[in-house]
Amino acid sequence: MNEIQLMEQQAKQWIFEISEYIQSISRTSLTIDTKSSASDLVTNIDREVEQYFIRQIKERYPEHYVLGEEGFGDYPEASNGTVWIIDPIDGTMNFVHQQRHFAISLGVYRDGRPLFGIVYDVMNDDMYHAIHGRGA
């Protein structure tokens, strides 16, 4: 297995771990805030999941950057290096209102070029992934 495949496997492991947490906690302790408008929501789960990924990535890959939708992580000035891009709860409105039809979305770029991407439908246990040059 090459480095990119190992990173993808690690990312999948983290996704499965945190999805169990999301399923167990989402019905019991959901705090909802607005960002830019009433239809732009963020929850405590969004923030916790993003921080979980940042901790995991920084522990394993301290030289990598992390961009998170909820504002945690790094703000690299250039596209050099390896950058993880995370939307911890992609579809927060659905998550808040239905507890369904949301996903964890994660992409990794190196020097401005895509390495791999993963979208995981937490409630349906469906994972979609692709590695650059190898397809989905």
Side-chain angles (χ1 to χ4, degrees), residues 28-46:
T28 59
S29 54
L30 192 62
T31 304
I32 305 164
D33 295 313
T34 58
K35 293 193 285 188
S36 63
S37 70
S39 63
D40 189 11
L41 303 178
V42 63
T43 70
N44 57 310
I45 307 298
D46 288 271

Side-chain angles (χ1 to χ4, degrees), residues 40-68:
D40 189 11
L41 303 178
V42 63
T43 70
N44 57 310
I45 307 298
D46 288 271
R47 292 178 179 123
E48 291 171 22
V49 170
E50 184 168 303
Q51 290 172 342
Y52 166 83
F53 279 110
I54 291 168
R55 281 191 308 274
Q56 297 302 323
I57 294 163
K58 290 297 187 176
E59 183 177 302
R60 180 140 179 136
Y61 307 105
E63 71 283 1
H64 291 188
Y65 298 104
V66 182
L67 292 176

Side-chain angles (χ1 to χ4, degrees), residues 4 10 13 18 20-21 31-33 36 41 51 60 76 79 82 85 88-89 93 96 112 117 123 126 128 130:
I4 295 169
Q10 182 66 72
Q13 179 183 335
I18 199 64
E20 289 178 15
Y21 172 75
T31 304
I32 305 164
D33 295 313
S36 63
L41 303 178
Q51 290 172 342
R60 180 140 179 136
S79 60
T82 303
I85 302 170
I89 303 289
M93 190 70 83
V96 167
M123 301 309 283
D126 287 329
Y128 306 91

Side-chain angles (χ1 to χ4, degrees), residues 52-116:
Y52 166 83
F53 279 110
I54 291 168
R55 281 191 308 274
Q56 297 302 323
I57 294 163
K58 290 297 187 176
E59 183 177 302
R60 180 140 179 136
Y61 307 105
E63 71 283 1
H64 291 188
Y65 298 104
V66 182
L67 292 176
E69 184 191 18
E70 307 313 331
F72 302 105
D74 305 308
Y75 297 94
E77 294 181 17
S79 60
N80 297 335
T82 303
V83 181
W84 297 67
I85 302 170
I86 301 165
D87 188 343
I89 303 289
D90 192 357
T92 300
M93 190 70 83
N94 288 342
F95 176 68
V96 167
H97 293 291
Q98 302 173 5
Q99 299 289 309
R100 304 196 67 68
H101 308 297
F102 66 91
I104 297 170
S105 296
L106 183 149
V108 180
Y109 283 71
R110 180 169 289 149
D111 299 328
R113 306 189 88 176
L115 296 181
F116 66 87

